[in-house]
Amino acid sequence: MMHCTIWAEGVREIISAEDADIKFIVSDHPVTIYNHAAPPQSSKCAYPLDPSIALKASQTIFPLSRDFCLILTNLEYAQDPSTSALEKRTFARNFRNSMVRTDAFIRKRKLSNADVGKVNYVLKARARRYIAAGSREWLYPEKTVAETWKDLYEIFLPPRDDLWRFGGEMYASFEDGRTYYQDAFGRTEKEREFLKKKLPKEPLRDRDLCGCGSGLSFKKCCKSVPAALRSSWTEVSIRERNLMFFNAVAKVLGLDQRKDWITVRRELTDEKISNIYQLYEGLWPLETDLFQLLPKPDGRPRAIYTGSIHPSMITKLALGASLYFGELIIQHPFLHPSALNEKFNPVKNPSAYRQEFLKSVVFFLTLMPLIEQGTVNLVPDPCNFDLHLRDQMHGMAQARSTWINKDLLKDAPTRELLKEDSARGLMSAPRDVLLNILKKTTELDDEHLREVLLGIERLKENDPLAVLQEDGSAMGENSEQFHLAKLAPNFEMTMYLAQATGACIVTDDVVRWNEIKRAMSWQPDTALRALASKIEASKFAFPQNVEDIQALAFEPTLSVYPTLMGEVFGYLSKLGGGERKPNFEGHLAARFCRVQSLAQAALRKSGVAVKEARLLCAFPVGGIQDNTINRLLLMSSSERHLPCAPAAFFIDGQFHG
């Protein structure tokens, strides 16, 4: 099921040994993957591994009988064998629907003895222990094959003059008037050329802007990173898409004309809301390969934040965490219209999203300076682009919900945020509705009622998240407003992103922290105890203003924190069940004490507004691990993720002392 779509979309050929004296052998590794750039001794082929079928030059070889053998080849490679062998094919997504011609097979090649021997050589090279043949002589193809592994590729290439049977565009019309479109790679949307980039013609120099779109110089960014661990250079990066989205939001709302926020809210229309959600949808096609754009486990310090995606909460502790952990990955506040049921689609029903839209815009604008700087990486929900992943994750979350401590939810900050949003929703009701409510619930005379209404209007103006429209449409379709409390990403997606990007986990939510602790309950042994003890006994200052965080990111005494945390993460990643290094662990603890003393003193001297909190650490030997997450990553065609999340931190802002 996992490989079916990619196989079906490939070129299908059945080669024949009918005219040869040698026939095909069979082995205990019957589905054989041949990639000319991955010989049997490479790490990609270490048993029980095979090169991924999603790699362009990976071909699947399956003997059907002694006389016939099926070969499945990715279309791009069949059309151009010189293409990069170890790059993924276009739109290499598992578990999806596709439309193919199942009657399309190439069946005209009849192999010679020498050619059958080459096929058998590959089949035998990938066998684990057993092979079988109709004749003893056929079991030793290495006696007749002189070519190297790489040079064998020609025998497996389908004839080019028969490739017309495969690929191309398809259109299908349905009785209800719908039209289905699909390109040669199974994509149901046309490519968006404005999201593509050309590779630089010349090698980049140290001072050139890096091709990954980080905004940094090549020397400071990708120069020391292996090509396989770089974000895509051929697509507009996550950061660049956020910059494009910011420019679009500013233009639609009039922020580029220096309109104040009260004016922006008063002039907000359904059309503007719909347009902005459409722009977001345009920047993030449903068939985006998010793995190509996400950072990889490249050893750089970074953290995935999981907590309340609300503008009132994000500045208290989360954003300041970037000073301690490096690049901070946060989930985008905007919902993807195409991932929602039509009834809840903000493009089709924008009036119901007026308040939610304001929250999302304020959240986005608040983070924008840090996004541009590269301190924050604001990423969309991966489930928007992978329905199978979404269904699997929801099933896991539903199963997990049975053991969540409901008492923790009673005091969760999100409950207070929901109450505030509900109050805003009530204040956004039309004036006559508010007047009727006040008359029913109070005994105020007309003069005092007018004063109360004026007071409500002032409250709304002073609250940047409040809707200022007074017409009935402000209440949404059928008087509905969607109020969303987003604690994101959820536990499964947090683990998924942490392992995919090589990030530690940071949260300020007690519910999420308990989920993390439960995931590591199977492994009671912890590492770096001295360091954890010193971290947990310390107080950390978290700046409250984005401008201060932006400036402090370049403070030398503070920049030591991410480096230290990166070394901690690297040590835990390699530790597993292996031997500890007591001297190195002691060295890390001593270094932290020195860094902590100097850095916190520098923060106090800076005079910036801060909130003090402490950090609780999770450093389990073997990491925070959940096999279901590893399964999700494999299903998503991830090839370079960590087997676990080595470390997690809880920012406790409620401590006393």
Side-chain angles (χ1 to χ4, degrees), residues 297-468:
D298 53 11
R300 293 178 178 174
R302 63 175 59 94
I304 171 74
Y305 169 74
T306 172
S308 179
I309 306 300
H310 194 287
S312 299
M313 289 291 294
I314 198 69
T315 54
K316 291 183 178 179
L317 296 170
L319 295 184
S322 61
L323 298 175
Y324 301 110
F325 299 102
E327 177 189 9
L328 200 62
I329 300 172
I330 301 176
Q331 185 167 308
H332 211 294
F334 274 83
L335 297 173
H336 197 297
S338 295
L340 298 171
N341 182 291
E342 188 165 327
K343 177 184 176 183
F344 304 107
N345 189 322
V347 174
K348 304 287 181 64
N349 187 15
S351 59
Y353 280 87
R354 290 200 176 188
Q355 188 174 323
E356 187 60 31
F357 172 80
L358 289 176
K359 282 162 50 182
S360 297
V361 170
V362 171
F363 186 99
F364 180 66
L365 296 179
T366 300
L367 270 62
M368 200 59 224
L370 300 179
I371 293 169
E372 187 171 10
Q373 182 177 270
T375 303
V376 167
N377 200 349
L378 196 64
V379 305
D381 183 355
C383 291
N384 291 336
F385 315 108
D386 191 333
L387 295 180
H388 183 265
L389 173 65
R390 183 186 67 184
D391 294 342
Q392 292 284 307
M393 190 203 71
H394 284 177
M396 293 174 188
Q398 203 165 23
R400 175 171 46 81
S401 66
T402 58
W403 53 259
I404 288 179
N405 186 343
K406 302 298 190 294
D407 292 334
L408 294 175
L409 297 174
K410 295 178 182 177
D411 299 321
T414 47
R415 290 179 64 88
E416 291 303 314
L417 294 175
L418 276 173
K419 288 181 182 178
E420 292 175 10
D421 287 343
S422 296
R424 290 188 186 103
L426 182 61
M427 288 193 299
S428 298
R431 186 182 179 88
D432 57 340
V433 173
L434 280 173
L435 192 59
N436 287 334
I437 293 173
L438 290 170
K439 286 180 178 179
K440 289 179 181 179
T441 56
T442 69
E443 297 181 357
L444 298 174
D445 57 29
D446 290 347
E447 183 178 347
H448 285 95
L449 286 173
R450 283 194 296 272
E451 289 179 4
V452 171
L453 290 174
L454 286 172
I456 290 175
E457 189 61 31
R458 284 194 293 270
L459 284 174
K460 287 163 58 178
E461 286 188 357
N462 293 330
D463 183 352
L465 303 182
V467 177
L468 295 184

Side-chain angles (χ1 to χ4, degrees), residues 129-203:
R129 186 176 180 186
Y130 298 106
I131 58 175
S135 173
R136 180 179 294 273
E137 290 74 25
W138 305 346
L139 298 174
Y140 303 98
E142 64 275 9
K143 292 181 178 180
T144 60
V145 175
E147 289 85 351
T148 64
W149 183 265
K150 185 175 183 179
D151 292 334
L152 291 169
Y153 78 95
E154 289 186 356
I155 192 62
F156 297 104
L157 286 175
R160 298 199 63 170
D161 57 354
D162 275 324
L163 296 182
W164 60 270
R165 302 170 185 265
F166 305 92
E169 294 181 312
M170 293 189 185
Y171 294 86
S173 61
F174 296 87
E175 291 181 353
D176 61 1
R178 289 182 298 117
T179 300
Y180 174 84
Y181 163 80
Q182 179 180 301
D183 71 4
F185 304 106
R187 295 175 296 192
T188 57
E189 298 175 310
K190 292 279 189 180
E191 279 194 281
R192 299 177 189 181
E193 293 300 322
F194 68 93
L195 294 178
K196 300 179 77 67
K197 295 193 296 188
K198 291 183 179 180
L199 288 170
K201 295 180 180 179
E202 301 291 335

Side-chain angles (χ1 to χ4, degrees), residues 592-632:
F592 168 76
C593 290
R594 293 194 298 271
V595 170
Q596 179 73 357
S597 175
L598 292 171
Q600 296 303 312
L603 271 172
R604 286 192 295 272
K605 279 186 180 180
S606 68
V608 303
V610 299
K611 177 179 174 61
E612 283 196 335
R614 64 175 181 144
L615 291 177
L616 301 184
C617 310
F619 298 151
V621 175
I624 306 159
Q625 192 170 23
D626 189 323
N627 286 336
T628 58
I629 306 302
N630 289 323
R631 180 167 62 86
L632 290 180

